């Protein structure tokens, strides 16, 4: 009799133990954390760092912009997105009368993200951008402005450029991520001036 009871209890406990095992819990957590087939939108504040400005002194200057993101997760690890941004503050180049303006830009990226904890991910992405802006040079006859004459007018000369980004995100609420990232927005092949982008903001996945 006791042997029958013990056998019945053992048979009942085995499925319960398997359901609560670490492997089962891990599988459940992985399914819950899956991002495949999700879409996302985001809004970032972006700082633009213009570098290698001028033929002699290679000056640097800072401007700012806002960036809107629309994208989707292709698989658990890969994503693709579109970005559109507009300049807020122009960059004034030190020791000169040159001002660089980025009116707007549009980018396409494909990238890979990898979870480092159950609430944080690192990611990198590569793509192409189109940039529209201009460079205004006051007092071009002054000696301090001679090296910037090639920049005056449309900026950059080459509107299309390769872009890349690397970043980190943290899930602060369900499906809502705090984002920090940086990378290159474009390089002007005509003057070799280049611009890096550093952004922070929020992304929501649905």
């Amino acid at each position: 009799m006791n042997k029958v009871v013990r056998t019945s209890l053992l048979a009942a406990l085995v499925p319960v133990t398997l359901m609560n095992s670490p492997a089962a819990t891990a599988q459940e957590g992985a399914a819950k954390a899956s991002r495949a087939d999700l879409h996302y939108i985001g809004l970032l504040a972006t700082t633009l760092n213009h570098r290698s400005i001028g033929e002699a002194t290679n000056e640097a200057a800072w401007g700012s912009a806002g960036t809107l993101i629309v994208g989707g997760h292709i698989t658990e690890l890969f994503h693709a997105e579109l970005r559109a941004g507009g300049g807020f503050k122009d960059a004034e180049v030190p020791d000169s009368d040159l001002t660089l303006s980025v009116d707007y830009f549009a980018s396409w990226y494909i990238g890979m993200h990898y979870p480092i904890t159950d609430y944080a991910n690192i990611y990198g992405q590569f793509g192409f951008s189109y940039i529209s802006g201009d460079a205004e040079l006051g007092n071009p006859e002054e000696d301090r402005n001679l090296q910037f004459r090639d920049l005056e007018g449309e900026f950059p000369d080459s509107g299309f450029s390769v872009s890349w980004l690397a970043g980190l995100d943290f899930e602060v609420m369900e499906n809502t991520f705090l984002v920090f990232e940086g990378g290159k927005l474009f390089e002007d092949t005509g003057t070799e001036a280049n611009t890096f982008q550093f952004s922070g903001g929020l992304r929501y996945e649905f």
Side-chain angles (χ1 to χ4, degrees), residues 46-54 57-65 86-94 98-105 131-135 148 151 155-156 183-188 191-198:
T46 301
T47 299
L48 302 175
N49 180 215
H50 305 283
R51 303 179 184 180
S52 302
I53 306 168
T57 59
N58 289 325
E59 299 290 345
W62 294 85
S64 60
F88 285 147
K89 181 183 177 182
D90 298 339
E92 297 182 357
V93 179
L98 178 66
T99 301
L100 302 178
S101 304
V102 173
D103 298 325
Y104 64 88
F105 58 89
I131 303 95
S132 177
D134 60 80
F148 304 117
L151 282 163
F155 176 78
K184 178 176 276 191
L185 179 59
F186 70 88
E187 180 173 352
D188 185 1
T191 63
E192 297 185 355
N194 54 80
T195 297
F196 285 77
Q197 53 183 331
F198 302 95

Side-chain angles (χ1 to χ4, degrees), residues 147-167:
Q147 63 171 324
F148 304 117
R149 287 182 176 178
D150 290 343
L151 282 163
E152 188 175 15
E154 186 177 349
F155 176 78
D157 285 341
S158 49
F160 286 95
S161 179
V162 171
S163 299
W164 58 265
L165 281 168

